[in-house]
Amino acid sequence: MSTVHRLSRRDARRVAVLGQVLSGVRATDLLGVVRGVTLLQLDPTNAVAPSADLVAWSRLGSAYSLSELRAALDAGDLVELRAFVRPAEDMALYRADMERRVRGEGLSEWQEFRKGWVESNDRCRREILGRLRAEGPLPSREFPDTCVRPWGSTGWTNNKNVTQMLEFLVQRGEVAVAGRKGRDRLWDLAERVYRDDPVVPSEEAERERDRRRLRALGIARSRGPECPVEPAVVGEAGEPAVIADVRGEWRVDPALLDQPFKGRTVLLSPFDRLVHDRARAAELFDFDYQLEIYKPAAKRRWGYYALPILHGDQLVGKVDAAADRKAGVLVVNAIHQDIPFTKALTAAVDREIADLARWQGLEVRKA
């Protein structure tokens, strides 16, 4: 039986920061960063910069070029799967589950419903695959809607039959995102996009995904609310841990314990994996945060797209900023201090804001 590690909250925070490649000297390699954090979340909001690029910049600094991510995707070193960019070699950990969906083995009720919908519209499925085989990569608008059973939803996907079919074919391992043209995804046969690596069996693949996720998070819960695309929990990976003044048991990557720690000041994307689990951020960092893009302006506490501020092993505030690219400026509307800033911390935050602007060819303008 594994020893239960007893950690202070500071110890736990440092493990989390180390796992996310956010301590010490900046990283120098995009692929190394993505392998370290396991994924970059794609999001269309571009108030400051695209989130995936912001995550990379937080680790690499202004030496990172906005063209690097696209180049790595085009080269096949990184792949896009369900709005997350992952290392190409990691796809071997998902293919068995994709094949299981096609066979209909061990599906949840919701997965069974989706499988039935795809089968009801098999003509549309076959036409998409045929067009891609002959002409791909293609954007979704190139495929006519020949579904006989519409996709019903109370949300924005209602009757979006072609895009839903493509998403389900991704989950079945039949098609994949092959690139982008502007904001449009380009689709192709998965066999042309994913590497021909040996498929890892489902149970082994799940354990390895949990292990890699824990390596990236440093410390996480074993179980929690279901997240259909990318879980925030790690099963039985790592070793058990308890954190002083925090309820329950955690799992920790023992390789990150007792490591030397040198912190730095960093601005983070709202989708950064250090803060994406808001409950974990509150428990470990005592950090209160919500993304407020869907709130009326008058009800926002921190701003439309506020960037969390990491300082050493603490989350200390948020920067409310927006890029006005036509004017060539990064507008800083406010800097919210969760703790009183010292002169040194204020100067460090200002340097990061200046670097964020310089990286995009902008000038800083404080509102």
Side-chain angles (χ1 to χ4, degrees):
M1 182 176 179
S2 299
T3 301
V4 177
H5 298 278
R6 300 188 178 278
L7 309 178
S8 67
R9 290 179 79 188
R10 187 185 73 167
D11 292 336
R13 291 195 301 267
R14 291 187 169 188
V15 165
V17 173
L18 284 165
Q20 278 293 295
V21 199
L22 284 167
S23 67
V25 179
R26 288 187 187 271
T28 59
D29 171 56
L30 175 62
L31 292 181
V33 165
V34 180
R35 289 178 177 129
V37 302
T38 70
L39 55 83
L40 301 177
Q41 183 172 346
L42 298 171
D43 184 83
T45 308
N46 193 13
V48 175
S51 178
D53 290 305
L54 265 177
V55 172
W57 168 82
S58 293
R59 278 98 181 144
L60 297 163
S62 56
Y64 166 69
S65 168
L66 285 163
S67 65
E68 285 185 55
L69 180 58
R70 176 63 63 87
L73 287 164
D74 290 344
D77 296 320
L78 300 175
V79 296
E80 179 180 337
L81 176 65
R82 302 188 69 188
F84 289 94
V85 172
R86 304 176 187 272
E89 62 268 21
D90 282 12
M91 288 310 304
L93 303 175
Y94 294 88
R95 300 298 296 273
D97 282 354
M98 292 173 173
E99 293 169 3
R100 180 174 55 81
R101 283 193 175 92
V102 175
R103 295 192 301 269
E105 297 175 358
L107 302 184
S108 67
E109 183 178 347
W110 185 237
Q111 289 169 336
E112 288 280 6
F113 177 82
R114 290 179 171 182
K115 181 175 182 291
W117 185 84
V118 171
E119 291 173 346
S120 296
N121 293 303
D122 191 57
R123 176 189 170 192
C124 181
R125 168 186 165 272
R126 287 185 285 108
E127 288 177 347
I128 287 173
L129 296 178
R131 284 285 303 279
L132 290 177
R133 190 169 299 280
E135 306 173 42
L138 296 170
S140 60
R141 63 175 176 272
E142 292 294 323
F143 305 112
D145 181 359
T146 58
C147 289
V148 295
R149 178 181 167 190
W151 177 257
S153 169
T154 57
W156 70 270
T157 61
N158 186 57
N159 210 36
K160 301 290 187 181
N161 301 320
V162 170
T163 54
Q164 286 300 101
M165 178 63 75
L166 289 165
E167 294 292 345
F168 297 156
L169 294 183
V170 167
Q171 295 172 40
R172 291 162 58 96
E174 294 183 288
V175 306
V177 178
R180 287 179 178 257
K181 188 173 183 179
R183 289 198 169 190
D184 289 338
R185 290 176 291 182
L186 300 177
W187 304 89
D188 203 351
L189 299 177
E191 64 199 50
R192 294 174 178 164
V193 178
Y194 301 149
R195 292 180 178 177
D196 189 22
D197 295 329
V199 174
V200 181
S202 286
E203 291 186 3
E204 180 185 345
E206 182 177 10
R207 289 193 297 270
E208 180 61 17
R209 292 196 302 266
D210 286 345
R211 188 192 70 80
R212 294 188 188 188
R213 190 179 308 114
L214 179 60
R215 180 196 65 199
L217 295 175
I219 189 164
R221 296 288 190 182
S222 175
R223 293 173 179 80
E226 183 178 356
C227 297
V229 179
E230 180 62 24
V233 296
V234 296
E236 299 307 308
E239 295 178 357
V242 293
I243 303 171
D245 301 320
V246 180
R247 63 176 179 80
E249 190 173 281
W250 298 70
R251 305 294 295 186
V252 66
D253 184 342
L256 295 174
L257 295 173
D258 301 319
Q259 292 290 319
F261 182 86
K262 182 179 180 181
R264 58 189 179 89
T265 304
V266 193
L267 304 184
L268 303 175
S269 161
F271 297 98
D272 197 290
R273 302 307 279 179
L274 189 71
V275 297
H276 83 287
D277 183 338
R278 310 304 190 208
R280 175 176 175 268
E283 289 177 306
L284 298 187
F285 294 89
D286 196 25
F287 187 62
D288 184 16
Y289 183 82
Q290 289 181 336
L291 184 60
E292 298 182 303
I293 59 177
Y294 300 112
K295 283 187 177 182
K299 294 186 177 181
R300 293 176 189 144
R301 289 183 288 173
W302 305 303
Y304 178 81
Y305 197 78
L307 308 179
I309 304 169
L310 174 68
H311 178 65
D313 60 24
Q314 294 181 294
L315 291 165
V316 298
K318 300 96 176 169
V319 173
D320 176 11
D324 185 341
R325 294 175 181 85
K326 288 185 179 180
V329 295
L330 178 70
V331 180
V332 179
N333 296 303
I335 298 175
H336 300 281
Q337 302 181 16
D338 289 7
I339 63 171
F341 283 14
T342 63
K343 288 184 178 179
L345 176 51
T346 298
V349 171
D350 285 343
R351 283 194 299 271
E352 288 303 298
I353 292 171
D355 190 70
L356 175 60
R358 183 168 54 251
W359 168 56
Q360 300 185 79
L362 306 175
E363 298 289 333
V364 176
R365 186 177 75 195
K366 293 192 175 182

